[in-house]
Amino acid sequence: MIFDNQYIQERIKKTEALREMGINPYPNQVTKGTLSSVFFDECAYLQEIDDEEKKDESKSYTLTGRIKFIRIMGKAAFAKIQDSQGIVQVYYNRDDLPEGYYNQIKKLYEVGDLIEATGFPFVTQTGELTLHCKAIKIVSKAISPLPEKFHGLQDHELRYRQRYLDMIMNPEVTENFMMRSKIVSLIRRFFEEKSFLEVETPMMHPIPGGANARPFITHHNALGIDRYLRIAPELYLKRLIIGGMEAVFEINRNFRNEGMDHTHNPEFTMLEFYWAYHRYTHLMEITEELFEYLFTHLGLDKTLTYGEHEIDFSTPFAKIPYIESLTTIGGVPADVAIDQEKALEYLKKHHIKVDKNLTLGYLQAELFDEFVESKLINPTFITDFPIDISPLARRSDDNPDIAERFELFIAGKEIANGFSELNDPIDQYERFKGQVAAKEATGDDETMHMDTDYVKALSYGMAPTAGEGIGIDRLVMMLTNKHSIRDVLLFPAMKPEAPQIEAVSNSGDEVKCKKCGYAHADELKPAKKGKGYFCIDGAACKRRVEDSDISR
């Protein structure tokens, strides 16, 4: 049971005590108070005056926030409350509050509670700007205790699973997500200023398409048919180009039923845009303009730290053809890069297992992934991809074996993919057939299906068009120096939580952590091997062990 924890039970009793006093622990008639940043700005002058008592009783402020710290000193108490802008210290005592009120609430208001405090500003003897309360009331009673004060929430799994708690304990997390929102907003504004039209396309598709990926499958009860969650919106956006919308974009959620790691989440956010009467070279130019726009409006330096790298975002970005990158960056011999048998042998020599039925283009992709990608640190456009790994891109007029396509890499990660779109319906039909044949030959469930409706749409004629997708999540990672996609997703995909441990075992013994002896059952998890339990928050467990060693 979620409320079985003894500390939660104690807080529930305090909640009931408030009700018995006639105090609603969850009032609804509360308005947001003055922001802490405004309070500090308007009252900073008090710290500069020479008076012995630095206070201004002519001013009154009402602050709202979450209690992060309380120190009770008999007839008075200090607390620190946190709002969206920072932390403010408040002071309240028995004599300034209604008769008997202080003694009633001094042990009922706790760390984690949301409160409203009204009073005048003053400066303490230690020089801290503080609110001297004339009134203090509960806004929302917290019945679950927060993690240890000031240490924050360290366990990454717990932070991702309980993002709300992560944001309470680690304010910089909220700042990161505010940055993400600014980036998305600026992207939208950039394309609107370029006269692109924002559109919405279906999230459930009759067949998976738009990219090579394994789809999620759902069932539509009313229609009695299966549907596929969107892998990419590409084929629908190009249908709009065919219909006469010459510049469209969508900031979309995509779903791919694939592995999870530091750069992959099964659902993620992409920007895709399509531009009639333009080529892939124009896309590289507008991508550079987009980065310039973001850096200017976000106030970022052109050189950013990302892990151990200093990345220079100055434009123009480097541009290197795909095959050339294999030899000049990846160190692959020139004859190996263009020969199927030699590529197979080279990959085998380096202990890279591949299907021997793969075409040269797919083998080149294996070589690229293994020997090139991780070395692309500064923003780099890799251009002119093999045609057989680019089923939706236009063939080059100069070389039919390559596609007019590029990918943008930063810090060894793909950030964007763009190309001149294939608008020849016969060529598109043959390439879809090739994808179907490859699927049957290799059993690869990530290859594209035959989309006859899209081929039919192309048969009505599509203007020369260029299209691009940019990974929003990875872009945010780059600009905020985050190395796990989970750090830029508010609610990343997680394995189901382990069953909650009952506080008392069948033998009547109390369940405790094997390392530190902590006995909060709802904060423990079963050991992976063998019997026993361990703290979910490993960092807190370590601190408890260290504190125990010191006390001994």
Side-chain angles (χ1 to χ4, degrees):
M1 174 64 181
I2 190 172
F3 299 136
D4 280 348
N5 180 291
Q6 67 180 85
Y7 292 94
I8 293 179
Q9 284 296 315
E10 290 176 6
R11 283 176 170 249
I12 290 175
K13 291 177 182 177
K14 292 178 180 181
T15 304
E16 292 306 315
L18 288 170
R19 287 193 171 101
E20 290 171 4
M21 293 166 51
I23 299 174
N24 183 357
Y26 304 103
N28 195 39
Q29 307 301 321
V30 181
T31 57
K32 182 177 175 60
T34 301
L35 289 174
S36 59
S37 57
V38 175
F39 174 75
F40 285 128
D41 288 344
E42 293 185 359
C43 301
Y45 70 93
L46 288 173
Q47 295 174 306
E48 305 298 328
I49 64 177
D50 295 329
D51 293 356
E52 185 175 337
E53 290 189 357
K54 298 182 177 183
K55 62 181 180 179
D56 189 347
E57 296 188 52
S58 68
K59 288 191 173 183
S60 179
Y61 290 90
T62 295
L63 306 179
T64 49
R66 186 183 300 276
I67 300 174
K68 298 300 290 292
F69 170 80
I70 290 181
R71 185 170 77 249
I72 298 174
M73 304 173 298
K75 300 177 183 179
F78 281 97
K80 292 183 183 289
I81 63 173
Q82 182 180 54
D83 66 8
S84 62
Q85 299 294 305
I87 294 179
V88 178
Q89 180 168 266
V90 300
Y91 166 81
Y92 52 102
N93 64 45
R94 186 187 64 182
D95 297 334
D96 287 330
L97 299 176
E99 185 176 353
Y101 186 74
Y102 173 80
N103 289 332
Q104 288 179 314
I105 61 95
K106 70 178 180 180
K107 291 186 178 180
L108 299 181
Y109 290 3
E110 304 171 279
V111 170
D113 294 347
L114 294 167
I115 64 168
E116 176 187 84
T118 301
F120 62 86
F122 79 106
V123 178
T124 65
Q125 292 181 350
T126 60
E128 184 167 358
L129 187 57
T130 303
L131 184 76
H132 186 131
C133 296
K134 291 294 187 177
I136 186 168
K137 60 181 69 174
I138 194 78
V139 171
S140 182
K141 181 67 180 170
I143 62 172
S144 286
L146 296 180
E148 297 177 59
K149 61 184 179 183
F150 298 132
H151 287 300
L153 187 63
Q154 303 298 323
D155 184 88
H156 283 283
E157 181 176 343
L158 195 59
R159 289 177 60 189
Y160 301 144
R161 197 179 296 282
Q162 298 183 30
R163 181 65 81 188
Y164 47 88
L165 191 56
D166 186 23
M167 295 168 71
I168 291 171
M169 299 306 298
N170 302 311
E172 69 278 3
V173 170
T174 302
E175 294 175 8
N176 289 333
F177 287 109
M178 290 173 66
M179 170 66 88
R180 179 191 173 105
S181 292
K182 289 178 183 177
I183 291 170
V184 173
S185 178
L186 287 170
I187 289 172
R188 177 174 282 110
R189 190 193 310 170
F190 173 83
F191 281 96
E192 288 174 342
E193 290 176 1
K194 293 284 186 181
S195 297
F196 280 73
L197 180 68
E198 183 173 12
V199 297
E200 296 176 313
T201 61
M203 305 256 307
M204 294 191 294
H205 293 184
I207 61 173
N212 291 329
R214 184 183 298 112
F216 284 96
I217 304 174
T218 187
H219 187 76
H220 196 300
N221 289 332
L223 296 178
I225 55 176
D226 284 344
R227 280 289 185 259
Y228 300 88
L229 295 186
R230 178 168 62 193
I231 289 175
E234 176 171 343
L235 300 183
Y236 282 93
L237 291 172
K238 287 193 285 192
R239 285 174 169 92
L240 299 180
I241 297 292
I242 294 167
M245 293 182 176
E246 295 184 349
V248 296
F249 76 97
E250 184 173 8
I251 297 174
N252 55 80
R253 298 289 285 177
N254 294 332
F255 306 85
R256 299 184 184 179
N257 196 359
E258 299 172 337
M260 296 166 55
D261 58 29
H262 289 305
T263 59
H264 293 87
N265 194 68
E267 56 177 309
F268 57 96
T269 305
M270 289 280 291
L271 159 73
E272 288 210 18
F273 62 99
Y274 291 83
W275 206 6
Y277 300 103
H278 288 82
R279 298 181 63 221
Y280 76 127
T281 52
H282 299 120
L283 295 181
M284 288 187 275
E285 293 172 2
I286 198 173
T287 301
E288 290 171 340
E289 287 183 45
L290 174 61
F291 273 84
E292 292 277 1
Y293 187 89
L294 290 175
F295 273 69
T296 297
H297 287 80
L298 293 171
L300 298 175
D301 293 332
K302 286 295 182 66
T303 300
L304 292 183
T305 298
Y306 187 75
E308 61 184 12
H309 302 295
E310 292 291 323
I311 301 179
D312 184 0
F313 285 88
S314 300
T315 55
F317 299 156
K319 299 174 181 64
I320 305 173
Y322 196 94
I323 304 303
E324 181 182 323
S325 75
L326 296 178
T327 57
T328 60
I329 297 175
V332 177
D335 58 331
V336 171
I338 58 174
D339 186 279
Q340 183 177 13
E341 291 300 322
K342 290 181 179 180
L344 274 170
E345 286 299 317
Y346 192 79
L347 289 165
K348 183 178 179 180
K349 176 183 175 182
H350 287 82
H351 310 291
I352 302 168
K353 294 182 179 181
V354 296
D355 190 317
K356 64 180 180 180
N357 295 315
L358 291 179
T359 63
L360 176 59
Y362 280 97
L363 294 174
Q364 290 168 336
E366 294 287 345
L367 292 169
F368 182 89
D369 291 347
E370 184 68 23
F371 300 107
V372 180
E373 185 169 347
S374 64
K375 299 175 183 177
L376 301 172
I377 305 304
N378 285 333
T380 304
F381 290 113
I382 299 297
T383 66
D384 305 330
F385 275 57
I387 194 67
D388 43 353
I389 62 170
S390 309
L392 298 172
R394 187 183 188 281
R395 293 179 189 270
S396 168
D397 291 336
D398 299 325
N399 183 350
D401 291 329
I402 67 172
E404 291 189 348
R405 174 186 173 191
F406 69 84
E407 287 186 359
L408 174 63
F409 291 87
I410 305 173
K413 299 176 178 64
E414 177 199 342
I415 301 297
N417 181 21
F419 39 81
S420 297
E421 300 294 339
L422 176 61
N423 61 349
D424 181 338
I426 304 300
D427 190 358
Q428 181 66 83
Y429 180 69
E430 294 300 324
R431 291 211 223 164
F432 276 148
K433 285 176 60 178
Q435 289 279 301
V436 172
K439 183 181 182 69
E440 293 173 351
T442 64
D444 185 359
D445 55 2
E446 294 188 1
T447 53
M448 290 194 198
H449 293 228
M450 171 64 74
D451 191 336
T452 54
D453 182 75
Y454 177 67
V455 174
K456 182 178 181 179
L458 275 183
S459 72
Y460 287 96
M462 182 174 78
T465 299
E468 181 177 350
I470 298 177
I472 299 295
D473 306 317
R474 292 187 184 179
L475 175 61
V476 175
M477 288 172 64
M478 296 294 116
L479 299 186
T480 58
N481 195 17
K482 298 300 177 185
H483 300 267
S484 171
I485 194 170
R486 293 182 175 189
D487 287 325
V488 298
L489 299 176
L490 281 167
F491 302 103
M494 303 288 291
K495 288 183 179 180
E497 199 166 6
Q500 204 170 48
I501 305 164
E502 293 190 12
V504 180
S505 67
N506 292 332
S507 64
D509 295 329
E510 190 176 23
V511 176
K512 296 182 179 181
C513 172
K514 292 175 69 175
K515 285 186 178 180
C516 69
Y518 200 51
H520 287 207
D522 61 340
E523 296 182 35
L524 301 176
K525 60 184 176 182
K528 291 182 179 179
K529 295 181 180 179
K531 297 180 180 180
Y533 302 95
F534 293 102
C535 291
I536 293 174
D537 189 341
C541 180
K542 183 179 179 182
R543 286 194 300 273
R544 283 190 280 268
V545 171
E546 292 172 349
D547 291 344
S548 176
D549 290 341
I550 292 171
S551 64
R552 287 197 293 268

